[in-house]
Amino acid sequence: MSCSSIPPPHTVAPHYASHSSASSASVRIGKRWTEFQGANNWDGLLDPLHPILRSEILRYGSFVQAAYSSCDLDPTSPTYASCRFPKHSLLRLSGLPFSGYRVTRNLHATSGSRLPHWAATASPASLSLQSSWIGFIAVCHDKHELARLGRREIIIALRGTVTALEWLDNFRATLTHLTPSSSPTQVRDQPEPKVQRGFWSLFTSSSTAHHSLRNQIREEIRRLLDQYGYHKTSITITGHSLGAALAVLTANDLSAMLGPSGPMVTVVSFGGPRVGNASFRRRVEKLGCRVLRIVNTSDVITKVPGFVDGKEKEGVIKKWLISKTGWVYADIGRELRVSGRQSGNVAACHDLSHYLQLVNQLNEALPTVLEEERVQRGLRWPGILAGDVL
């Protein structure tokens, strides 16, 4: 995939659909919340897609949409790539006035890439912007939403690529170690966990204005857990594109920080690229992270970077050649595949609103689930579907 096949950053933001949160507010999850957060790896919930899980996926997508619509995407603006709204009114002004959540922290990411000197001096200042607003952390505080969810939820929402330097980081596709040097306990000849260099740089780089995204998230999660406690608290990280990749890195980091006694950590991502190698995938699984990837089969971004060892046709690309490139990746988590029309328009296939429309269309599988759930649980399904049309 070449840079020329991707539109400029300011043209790829989603076209926002009016997705009402009223539908999700009518779906009571209660004691089943761990099931829908992936405690059983979403077994039996994806084919067909369970209507409650579908509603929750759309709800998480609306938080990512809020991250996009809150970001100033005009590269000629003096506030380019910063948050357009005050923290206390961000959700209301970005289209989620009745979410039951409040934003507790803005998040910024710093790129480790640099434009060549000749490009930096000849280009608008916005193209060389090092740090940019990339999302937020919000916590559920409304008593009715707390009762509906069955727990207190902390959401981390992360947008996709916007700035030129973020695009450069996207294309730094070689794998790098999670730590500067090998662990003394590393088994000889056992591949170490590695992740995409550009994503890792955006996650761990800092600037004079902002700590690294990693440390910002760590600090706020510690503060919120000190305030609300671990009991019946969950952490959900949701993102699109670059935000989906950073969501996986965040889940890995928080799970390692909080340990096995910490809250449940779940990723719900849209259109995410590959993040790391097979050893990193095993690390994520061992830490207990739950990752649900929503993948459009027509979206090329979900098939990059690198190659997936053992899944590509070895007759076309020899396994040893793949290994020599250092681009041997692994898909992480459970996939929910959606299918849109085949199109040569990469941006259209990758658009977040398109993803949510495709998830919304999966309600065609409802009749089979409807009858079973009506008998067993007496749920009022029209309340689930109301307001879900995108």
Side-chain angles (χ1 to χ4, degrees), residues 13-14 16 64-71 73 159-162 240-241 352:
Y16 300 104
V64 184
Q65 283 186 316
Y68 272 112
S69 60
S70 298
C71 188
L73 301 179
R159 62 158 175 81
T161 307
V162 168
H240 170 247
S241 194
L352 175 60

Side-chain angles (χ1 to χ4, degrees), residues 8 22 37 61 89 121 143 189 207 211 226 269 276 294 311 319 322 357 370 383 387:
Q37 290 299 109
S89 56
T121 55
K143 64 179 181 179
D189 298 327
S207 67
H211 295 307
D226 285 344
S269 71
I294 292 83
K311 293 186 179 180
K319 193 171 182 179
I322 296 174
Q357 288 166 357
L370 264 171

Side-chain angles (χ1 to χ4, degrees), residues 21 30 47 52 73 81 94-95 113 121 132-133 139 144 151 199 202 209 214 247 259 262 317 356-357 366:
S21 60
D47 187 17
I52 292 181
L73 301 179
S94 62
S113 296
T121 55
S132 56
W133 186 87
V139 62
H144 299 294
R151 84 281 187 190
F199 301 154
L202 279 167
R214 178 190 199 179
I317 305 175
L356 298 183
Q357 288 166 357
L366 275 174

